[in-house]
Amino acid sequence: MKNLFAATLLLALLAGCGTADTTAFPDVDAALTTLLDELDECAALGSHRQCYRLYASIAAEYEKKNLTSLQKHYQQKMVLEAEAVGKEDAPCGRRLKAEALQQLATTYMVEGQLDSAALNARNACHEAPADTLDFRAQTLLLLAQIHLMAEHDDSTLFYVRAAETVYPPVVKTDLYRITHAYALDLQGCQRELVELLAAYIPACGIHGRAELTRLLMGCHEDAEQWREAYGDAATLMELTDSIARTEASENMVRIHALQHERQMERQRAMRAAEKARLYGVIIVVLMLLLTASTAGLAYRRKARVARERELEAMRLSEEALANENQTREENIRLQRLYYEHLYAIILPILNANRGRSGHINLEEDAWKLIEQNTDMVLPGFSSRLRTGHPALTTEDIRFCCLIMMRVPNAVLADVYGIAPASVAVRKQRMKKKLDSDVQNQTIENYLNQYIRA
C-alpha cells in the first residue's frame, strides 16, 4: 500500500501539478466544447501541429473529469498527429511523439495496465531526441514508478540509477528523491533509507517533504521508535495544513483568472459585434446609393425590405442562441445544486468524526447513518447494488454510497486515511470489482443504474 501511495504522488509530480480538487473549476465542459469546435476547424485546414496541441488540451480536460478512457483516446490521437508532423519536420515530430507516448504511459499506469504503461514509456524514451536528456531522465523515472507499483525492486532501482546516469541534475528533483526512497523501502533497506531520508527531506518541496515524512514515520513505527514517530506525525500535520492552504490559494487564483478571461472574452465579443454592425451599416448604405443611382425608387424599396428581413432573421437567431445558452446554464446550475444537497446531507456526519489530524474516523453507527441517508435520497440504492453484485463487501457498498453522494476526493482520502491522489486508484479497483463493462465509463455513471426510477 505504501508503494501505491508513492506511485500516485509521483504521477502528480510528473504531470507538474498537485492534488487540487477539480470541482473548483466549473468550466471544464465549456472548455471541452470550445476545444472540440476548434479541433473541427483545424482538422479541415490540415494543421497537424495545431491538432496535436488541441488533442493535448482535450486530454487534459478529460483528466480533470477522471474519464481516463477518453483521455487515453485523445492521447493516442496525439501520437498519430505527431507522426504526421514528423513527415514535415522529423526532429519536431519525434519530440512531440515522445511527449505523447509519455503521457499515454502515465494514463495506462493510472488504469493499472502496467505492461502497456511500460511499453509506451520505453517507446517514449526511444523516440526522444538525443539532446532532451532531462526528458529521458523523467521517462526513466516513470518506468521506475511502473515497476514500483508492480513491486519489482531490482527493476525500480535500475531505472532510478539509469535516470541519474542520463541526466545527473535529476537527483535534485522531488520525483527522483521520492522514487529512490520508496525503491529502498521496497527492498527493505531500512537503515540506508533512514539516512537517505534525513538528507532528502530538507531539500524537497512541500509535497515531497510530506510524502517522505510519512515514509520516515513508517520506518520509525516499524522500529518502535515512538517518540521519533510522534515528532514525524506532528511535522506531517503541519505540512498537510500548509499544502491545503497553498492549494486553496492556487484555486482562488485560477478562478480569478478564469473570471478575468471570461470578462475579456465578453468585451472582445462586444467590440466585434459593434464592428460588424458598423460594417453592415456601411455596406447597406453603399448598396442603397448604388440602387438609387441605377434602379430608382422601386429597387430601393426592395432593398430596404430585404434588409429588414435580414435584421429580423439575425434578431431571431440571436434570441434562439440566448435561450439555448440560458437553458444550458440553468441545467448546470440545477445539477450542481442537486449534488450540493446530497453532499450537504452527509457533510455533518463526516465533520463530526474528524480527528485532530484531519482524518475522519467513522464508527459503525456513523456508517449505518450514511448508508441510510443515501437510501433516503436515492431510494433502494444499496439494496439494488447488493442484489446486482453479491460479491461486494459492506465496505465496498459504503464506498459506493460516498461516491454517489459526490464526496470530494480530498474528503474520501481523509475517510480512508490515504493520499488524495490514491482515491482515483481505489475507484479504479472498485470498477474492476463491479463489472468489466464499467471500464468504458465513469464509476458514477455506472452506479446511476441502481437508482430507482
Side-chain angles (χ1 to χ4, degrees), residues 186-394:
L186 186 63
Q187 282 198 326
C189 305
Q190 295 299 315
R191 179 177 298 178
E192 183 181 354
L193 175 60
V194 171
E195 295 176 355
L196 191 71
L197 290 175
Y200 278 174
I201 290 176
C204 283
I206 187 168
H207 289 87
R209 290 202 305 273
E211 187 63 24
L212 292 180
T213 301
R214 183 181 291 109
L215 182 57
L216 181 61
M217 182 174 65
C219 293
H220 286 151
E221 289 176 351
D222 294 340
E224 297 185 356
Q225 297 175 351
W226 306 116
R227 180 176 297 178
E228 290 80 357
Y230 177 80
D232 295 335
T235 303
L236 182 59
M237 187 181 302
E238 294 176 1
L239 290 172
T240 303
D241 292 340
S242 178
I243 290 172
R245 289 193 298 270
T246 302
E247 290 176 352
S249 176
E250 291 175 352
N251 288 345
M252 289 303 300
V253 170
R254 176 70 183 275
I255 290 172
H256 291 159
L258 289 172
Q259 292 174 344
H260 175 71
E261 181 62 26
R262 196 180 309 161
Q263 182 179 3
M264 295 299 296
E265 186 176 349
R266 284 198 295 265
Q267 292 178 359
R268 288 193 295 268
M270 290 175 60
R271 287 195 295 268
E274 291 175 358
K275 186 179 295 185
R277 285 195 294 269
L278 178 60
Y279 288 160
V281 171
I282 293 175
I283 292 174
V284 170
V285 170
L286 291 176
M287 290 178 61
L288 291 175
L289 291 175
L290 181 61
T291 302
S293 63
T294 56
L297 182 59
Y299 189 80
R300 281 187 295 171
R301 288 177 181 176
K302 292 181 181 180
R304 191 161 50 249
V305 171
R307 178 172 175 272
E308 290 175 355
R309 290 178 178 176
E310 180 182 0
L311 293 176
E312 180 66 16
M314 292 175 60
R315 184 183 65 81
L316 293 175
S317 176
E318 291 174 355
E319 288 181 356
L321 181 60
N323 291 334
E324 181 181 353
N325 292 335
Q326 184 177 0
T327 301
R328 185 185 299 110
E329 292 175 357
E330 182 65 16
N331 289 337
I332 294 173
R333 185 185 69 83
L334 290 175
Q335 184 180 12
R336 188 181 300 117
L337 288 176
Y338 175 71
Y339 286 114
E340 288 177 355
H341 174 67
L342 296 183
Y343 180 52
I345 292 176
I346 198 173
L347 183 60
I349 302 173
L350 299 177
N351 288 334
N353 292 274
R354 188 180 292 275
R356 295 181 60 186
S357 65
H359 291 170
I360 299 173
N361 302 314
L362 296 176
E363 301 295 337
E364 181 64 19
D365 292 339
W367 278 115
K368 290 181 179 179
L369 185 56
I370 289 172
E371 188 171 348
Q372 291 172 2
N373 286 338
T374 305
D375 287 335
M376 179 181 66
V377 178
L378 308 172
F381 171 75
S382 61
S383 60
R384 287 169 179 260
L385 186 58
R386 284 191 176 92
T387 303
H389 297 279
L392 291 181
T393 64
T394 301

Side-chain angles (χ1 to χ4, degrees), residues 42-64:
C42 289
L45 295 174
S47 176
H48 296 295
R49 296 193 187 189
Q50 186 70 2
C51 286
Y52 178 92
R53 183 186 66 81
L54 290 172
Y55 283 137
S57 300
I58 293 171
E61 295 299 325
Y62 278 121
E63 181 181 7
K64 294 179 183 178

Side-chain angles (χ1 to χ4, degrees), residues 85-129:
V85 172
K87 296 179 180 179
E88 303 171 357
D89 186 350
C92 180
R94 289 192 62 184
R95 179 179 59 81
L96 294 179
K97 186 176 180 180
E99 292 176 357
L101 288 170
Q102 186 195 71
Q103 295 180 27
L104 187 59
T106 304
T107 305
Y108 274 119
M109 186 178 71
V110 171
E111 291 185 333
Q113 301 181 35
L114 302 183
D115 292 339
S116 298
L119 176 62
N120 282 278
R122 285 193 290 269
N123 290 338
C125 198
H126 174 72
E127 291 290 340

Side-chain angles (χ1 to χ4, degrees), residues 151-159 161 186-187:
E151 298 187 356
H152 298 158
D153 52 349
D154 293 337
S155 297
T156 302
L157 280 175
F158 170 78
Y159 284 112
R161 295 189 178 110
L186 186 63
Q187 282 198 326

Side-chain angles (χ1 to χ4, degrees), residues 413-428:
D414 289 340
V415 171
Y416 290 98
I418 60 178
S422 300
V423 175
V425 180
R426 188 181 181 100
K427 288 184 178 181
Q428 184 67 27

